[in-house]
Amino acid sequence: VQLQASGGGLVQPGGSLRLSCAASGSAFRFNAMAWYRQATGNQRELVAKIIRNGVANYADSTKGRFTISRDNVKNTVFLQLDSLKPEDTAVYYCYADWFSNQVLMNAWGQGTLVTVSS
């Protein structure tokens, strides 16, 4: 399984971006799909996670500003980032997991840089 993330870039505070992550392996039924981020000098942290039935949860710092969604047919997960703040600057990584013979497997995308600056 390979995950390909895209959509990062430079945006001014208060602006918006939309990240996408396409997972290869159309035969897979992915369980959870998520976005994490890692700012320079910090540990990787969960931004938002969505399970197959669409139930999502968010980090407190992103609630009300970010929206995660997924397309189960295209095995793609999206992250809409609104009202961006400089502290949202980080490399954003997508994540997906699935069961294989009752073992939970996972994969990570390569990361896409989001820079929020005036």
Side-chain angles (χ1 to χ4, degrees):
V1 175
Q2 290 188 327
L3 304 180
Q4 183 67 45
S6 61
L10 173 64
V11 63
Q12 292 186 342
S16 298
L17 281 175
R18 182 174 172 83
L19 307 183
S20 300
C21 178
S24 63
S26 59
F28 280 98
R29 285 174 57 86
F30 292 106
N31 176 42
M33 303 184 83
W35 289 93
Y36 288 73
R37 67 185 180 187
Q38 187 167 18
T40 302
N42 290 356
Q43 291 187 330
R44 191 172 297 189
E45 62 176 2
L46 175 69
V47 174
K49 178 176 282 190
I50 185 169
I51 60 176
R52 190 166 184 85
N53 65 4
V55 174
N57 62 282
Y58 297 87
D60 287 343
S61 61
T62 64
K63 278 180 185 176
R65 299 187 299 121
F66 293 3
T67 304
I68 190 170
S69 59
R70 64 188 283 174
D71 182 330
N72 290 332
V73 174
K74 296 182 179 179
N75 282 335
T76 302
V77 61
F78 306 95
L79 186 68
Q80 178 68 37
L81 299 82
D82 296 318
S83 303
L84 282 161
K85 304 175 181 178
E87 52 263 43
D88 294 318
T89 296
V91 178
Y92 284 70
Y93 297 90
C94 55
Y95 163 97
D97 62 38
W98 66 95
F99 286 98
S100 177
N101 295 324
Q102 299 183 332
V103 175
L104 187 64
M105 311 291 287
N106 64 70
W108 292 87
Q110 84 286 6
T112 185
L113 177 63
V114 172
T115 304
V116 184
S117 175
S118 55

